[in-house]
Amino acid sequence: MAFLRPVLLLAATLFLLAIFFSFSNSSSQHLQYYKSQITQPWTSPNLDVDPSRDPDLSALKYKRVALASTFGAWHHDVLVPVAHTMENILGTHDSVRLYVETPYKLGDYGFDEVVNRTEIFHGKQFSYHTLTKDINDPKLFPDAPGDMIGLVVLGTCEYDMDFWSQQLLDAWDARPANKKFTVACIIHEVSDRRSFTFLHEWTIRGAVRYLTLAEHVSFSLLQYLQTTSDTPTPSEYTSLAEYVNVDLHLPIIPLPDPPRPERKGTRKLTNAVVQGLMDPKRRDYLGVLWDLAGAIKTNPKLWGYLPPNPGTTEFLPDPSDEPFQLHLIGAQGWIDDFPSELRNVVKFHRDLDYYQYYELMQSMDVVLPAFANSHYYDEKASSTVVMAIQCNVPLLVTRRFRASYVYTADDRVTIVRPQALREIHAIQLLRAGTSPFSDADSSSHAKRQHGLSITIDELIRQYEPKMHGRAHREFEADVRQMLAKGWERSNQEFAAFKGSMWNKNKDVGLRMLEDR
């Protein structure tokens, strides 16, 4: 029998290896499918609605929609575009109702003016305090006695679900089986657990679904829903949380196009913007500012500036050139340790009304996300991204950015820089319009136009002293590609991109109204 031991050992080994490789292959396939469902939610194989067709209203489960928020003046620019999507599908204004803190004023920053000028919403507005009363009213729609609100969209889940969850659960339980409703909650930040008040009570009823503003938020949210139901506690593992629908709806407002020249290559990159609360924990203001100060010191002429006067530190605009300016747009805050050299270079814009903000944004050449940490890449969506797109201003981003905000992986709306180039360094090359590499076949038109360049030796010595080998060659190729594509994007490119996003929003709206 001794001679059988090696044979048995070999057989056992082969059996375990077969199991391992079978499991690994199955797990790999499942993981790839799972990721595809999260990072590309609009191309999932079960989404068979043609967004170009007129929907069959008789097939809709819900034909009355309430959109509501308790979040004061904020996030109307997220909630009202959902109302716009619903009105476009339902084709009637009476079926879509808006519940907010200040009806027909929409906060202190003039979003009502945006609504009036863009005509994105035509329905009636009510105080959010009346929502639960209206939810329970079978006579709310006189033209169709017995009709009740079927879909409730909460604009800021982190606040609204915490405020309304128990009241809405009571209303849901009180309704007969053929009159139940669904809550669609817009998630801005997955780590804020107020969004999930009474989560398992909602999921076991099959009465909640979520909207996000970026794919990485969808991914983080789906991970959380999987985790919260994967426990030994019966009330949690039977909650059905893993089956909750998560969709992506981009709140792109149809603003009028900004005036832009038809021909590309006729302008110099002059205006860049960092948008958001002026909080260094959110945006890398100091990194951007000190990078800019160092770049202008090294070559003020490239940036359109003259050296400081004796006894002063600030650079002076060159009246014969188009001086570069960095715009910081925010509602509040201040930036300590501000470089005095940039007093004539940086402009602050605070507490603008919505339309003032949109018009200012539309005058920019590029938007810098300038994220200060991983939060906006992992579990929170930045308003900067949609703001830039709806204002027809390209974002200067990295591959990491486009992997999180997957819908921006489109050269019509983003400029891709290698990570070895900081945002200011990329702007420096784009403004010069020439490659730092001696053997690059960059645009001769750009060279004639600007006649400015920096050497790769300067770039490497100052920022990446150890760069070499294959990685160096790939870096060079990325820089050349960035310069070849340039920084300008046309209104036509943005219009085509936004049109495809609006069609996808319509698809999401149909799925919510059909409850699938």
Side-chain angles (χ1 to χ4, degrees):
M1 296 294 292
F3 73 91
L4 289 177
R5 289 178 183 173
V7 176
L8 292 173
L9 180 60
L10 177 62
T13 301
L14 292 174
F15 176 72
L16 290 174
L17 285 172
I19 292 176
F20 172 78
F21 285 115
S22 174
F23 174 78
S24 298
N25 186 53
S26 174
S27 297
S28 176
Q29 291 176 347
H30 176 73
L31 181 60
Q32 290 174 5
Y33 175 77
Y34 179 63
K35 286 183 176 179
S36 75
Q37 299 304 291
I38 297 167
T39 59
Q40 300 178 17
W42 292 336
T43 58
S44 177
N46 66 334
L47 308 185
D48 55 1
V49 173
D50 177 4
S52 65
R53 69 168 173 83
D54 291 327
D56 179 7
L57 298 184
S58 64
L60 300 182
K61 181 176 180 179
Y62 303 129
K63 300 176 185 177
R64 309 291 185 175
V65 182
L67 301 101
S69 181
T70 62
F71 197 39
W74 305 100
H75 293 172
H76 294 313
D77 54 336
V78 173
L79 183 61
V80 175
V82 182
H84 179 61
T85 297
M86 294 300 170
E87 283 191 337
N88 283 343
I89 294 171
L90 294 170
T92 173
H93 307 151
D94 295 334
S95 296
V96 184
R97 300 160 68 90
L98 186 63
Y99 294 83
V100 291
E101 183 178 42
T102 52
Y104 298 101
K105 187 173 186 298
L106 297 181
D108 298 328
Y109 293 98
F111 195 75
D112 51 312
E113 181 185 2
V114 177
V115 171
N116 293 335
R117 291 173 69 167
T118 61
E119 299 184 338
I120 59 171
F121 179 65
H122 307 83
K124 295 180 180 179
Q125 302 178 29
F126 307 88
S127 168
Y128 71 72
H129 294 290
T130 67
L131 175 64
T132 51
K133 176 181 72 68
D134 289 353
I135 281 283
N136 294 306
D137 188 353
K139 300 179 180 179
L140 190 62
F141 302 98
D143 60 321
D147 272 12
M148 301 178 75
I149 292 171
L151 179 66
V152 181
V153 182
L154 301 182
T156 307
C157 202
E158 295 82 350
Y159 287 82
D160 299 332
M161 192 58 105
D162 191 49
F163 181 83
W164 269 309
S165 192
Q166 185 61 66
Q167 301 172 57
L168 291 175
L169 277 173
D170 292 343
W172 193 95
D173 288 342
R175 284 198 186 187
N178 64 338
K179 295 290 184 180
K180 300 298 187 184
F181 60 88
T182 292
V183 172
C185 219
I186 301 177
I187 295 283
H188 298 256
E189 183 174 2
V190 177
S191 60
D192 192 332
R193 299 301 192 230
R194 291 176 297 176
S195 300
F196 310 111
T197 305
F198 302 117
L199 171 65
H200 296 124
E201 295 296 324
W202 282 106
T203 58
I204 200 169
R205 288 167 170 80
V208 69
R209 62 191 301 151
Y210 294 102
L211 295 175
T212 72
L213 309 178
E215 288 89 349
H216 66 283
V217 180
S218 296
F219 182 75
S220 180
L221 174 56
L222 285 167
Q223 285 184 313
Y224 174 73
L225 293 172
Q226 295 280 335
T227 301
T228 192
S229 58
D230 192 11
T231 76
T233 305
S235 63
E236 295 176 350
Y237 69 69
T238 62
S239 67
L240 309 181
E242 66 179 304
Y243 301 107
V244 173
N245 284 330
V246 176
D247 288 297
L248 182 63
H249 186 279
L250 294 182
I252 300 175
I253 297 169
L255 299 173
D257 285 336
R260 294 272 167 80
E262 292 185 8
R263 287 182 59 236
K264 293 182 180 180
T266 60
R267 296 188 294 147
K268 185 182 290 188
L269 199 163
T270 304
N271 292 287
V273 60
V274 178
Q275 176 270 338
L277 293 177
M278 292 185 190
D279 180 357
K281 294 180 181 179
R282 294 171 178 250
R283 302 287 187 274
D284 184 22
Y285 290 106
L286 292 180
V288 172
L289 291 171
W290 284 103
D291 282 348
L292 181 57
I296 293 181
K297 284 180 184 178
T298 302
N299 193 343
K301 180 174 174 57
L302 186 149
W303 296 90
Y305 286 88
L306 302 173
N309 287 327
T312 66
T313 58
E314 58 263 29
F315 288 88
L316 304 174
D318 184 348
S320 67
D321 201 349
E322 300 173 60
F324 174 82
Q325 291 202 306
L326 177 66
H327 299 259
L328 305 183
I329 303 179
Q332 55 188 311
W334 184 252
I335 300 170
D336 295 326
D337 199 24
F338 181 86
S340 60
E341 299 93 328
L342 301 182
R343 289 195 182 108
N344 295 320
V345 182
V346 177
K347 286 191 173 184
F348 289 84
H349 308 269
R350 292 187 177 86
D351 299 313
L352 301 178
D353 286 349
Y354 271 101
Y355 227 91
Q356 292 175 318
Y357 166 76
Y358 293 145
E359 289 176 336
L360 178 62
M361 281 288 291
Q362 287 185 328
S363 69
M364 298 293 110
D365 295 329
V366 296
V367 173
L368 310 184
F371 296 154
N373 52 54
S374 295
H375 205 48
Y376 286 108
Y377 291 107
D378 296 336
E379 59 180 30
K380 183 176 182 178
S382 169
S383 63
T384 295
V385 186
V386 165
M387 292 284 193
I389 290 171
Q390 69 189 6
C391 292
N392 292 17
V393 186
L395 294 122
L396 180 59
V397 303
T398 60
R399 290 189 184 92
R400 179 192 182 193
F401 180 98
R402 298 215 308 191
S404 291
Y405 298 82
V406 178
Y407 67 90
T408 70
D410 190 313
D411 289 339
R412 292 176 295 183
V413 297
T414 50
I415 307 158
V416 181
R417 64 176 175 89
Q419 287 184 327
L421 284 182
R422 299 268 286 172
E423 287 165 313
I424 291 300
H425 308 150
I427 288 178
Q428 181 172 344
L429 294 181
L430 289 164
R431 180 175 167 88
T434 57
S435 171
F437 309 113
S438 59
D439 60 340
D441 55 347
S442 56
S443 168
S444 59
H445 171 76
K447 286 183 178 178
R448 289 196 304 272
Q449 179 187 353
H450 303 309
L452 296 170
S453 183
I454 61 173
T455 67
I456 188 61
D457 291 337
E458 290 172 329
L459 185 68
I460 293 175
R461 183 174 64 251
Q462 192 169 358
Y463 303 115
E464 296 293 338
K466 297 182 179 180
M467 192 183 298
H468 63 88
R470 178 189 56 78
H472 189 189
R473 292 191 297 273
E474 292 187 9
F475 166 64
E476 288 187 12
D478 281 348
V479 173
R480 292 192 184 108
Q481 186 176 39
M482 178 187 76
L483 291 172
K485 292 180 178 178
W487 61 270
E488 293 180 272
R489 302 294 186 268
S490 68
N491 285 335
Q492 291 76 17
E493 288 174 299
F494 275 100
F497 177 84
K498 289 188 284 190
S500 67
M501 297 302 106
W502 287 323
N503 277 339
K504 291 170 182 176
N505 283 348
K506 181 180 177 183
D507 192 11
V508 170
L510 279 169
R511 292 205 300 277
M512 290 194 291
L513 293 173
E514 293 173 351
D515 193 28
R516 62 182 180 90

